[in-house]
Amino acid sequence: MEVNTQRRGAGLKDKIPDIQKTLDTVRFLKTRKSDSDPIEATFELNDTLYAKANIPPTKEVYLWLGANVMLAYPIPEAETLLESKLTAAQQNLANCEEDLDFLREQITTLEVATARVYNWDVTQKRKEKSEQGVKDEDEDEKKTLPNG
């Protein structure tokens, strides 16, 4: 459970900067005037592959939604969508961190309780052993007494 929560948190930490970068780009495109010159941009196709493109002023953007799905959105709608995705991702990350703190606390509590039970069991076994030793000594004394 802890590992799954850590993975989910790590995934969110990777996604949040990407969402923020995309949102910043959409906001930049929103500020451009329709009569401005095209922008030459280099964008990432893959981790090691980049391409150059001339971007004319536009009223829509294409967002990669994942699972091989890309949709065209008007810029204001794309900005709203990205803002909601960013807010949700940040909230989910905060929840993940809170869940991890709770899990760590519970794991510590469980380990302490297990150690206490183990120590109690060791103490009980020592008491039983010492009581058994006293009984054995009493029986040995009775056997060695001449009238016993």
Side-chain angles (χ1 to χ4, degrees):
M1 194 167 169
E2 182 181 15
V3 172
N4 288 340
T5 307
Q6 286 173 339
R7 282 187 194 146
R8 192 167 40 123
L12 288 169
K13 285 180 182 177
D14 288 343
K15 283 182 185 178
I16 288 174
D18 289 340
I19 296 170
Q20 184 64 52
K21 187 169 40 169
T22 305
L23 181 59
D24 292 342
T25 303
V26 168
R27 286 178 177 157
F28 171 74
L29 291 174
K30 183 179 179 182
T31 62
R32 297 201 52 224
K33 305 288 184 217
S34 59
D35 59 347
S36 57
D37 295 331
I39 299 171
E40 184 175 308
T42 303
F43 61 95
E44 183 177 4
L45 292 175
N46 196 340
D47 290 337
T48 58
L49 183 62
Y50 291 85
K52 285 187 178 182
N54 285 324
I55 304 171
T58 182
K59 293 188 189 304
E60 67 179 9
V61 293
Y62 292 83
L63 296 179
W64 183 260
L65 300 179
N68 293 328
V69 175
M70 182 180 277
L71 290 177
Y73 285 96
I75 289 180
E77 192 176 327
E79 184 178 19
T80 304
L81 174 71
L82 289 168
E83 285 172 347
S84 67
K85 293 283 183 188
L86 182 62
T87 304
Q90 289 169 337
Q91 182 62 43
N92 286 340
L93 181 60
N95 290 343
C96 260
E97 289 172 352
E98 186 178 319
D99 289 348
L100 274 174
D101 289 342
F102 177 76
L103 279 171
R104 287 186 190 113
E105 184 178 313
Q106 293 303 308
I107 288 169
T108 302
T109 303
L110 180 66
E111 288 172 350
V112 168
T114 303
R116 286 181 179 169
V117 168
Y118 177 78
N119 290 339
W120 177 84
D121 186 47
V122 168
T123 305
Q124 289 301 109
K125 286 181 181 177
R126 285 182 185 163
K127 282 182 185 177
E128 289 173 7
K129 201 179 236 185
S130 67
E131 288 172 3
Q132 186 66 30
V134 169
K135 286 181 183 177
D136 289 345
E137 286 177 9
D138 288 346
E139 288 177 13
D140 288 344
E141 285 180 18
K142 287 181 182 178
K143 289 180 184 176
T144 57
L145 290 175
N147 293 335

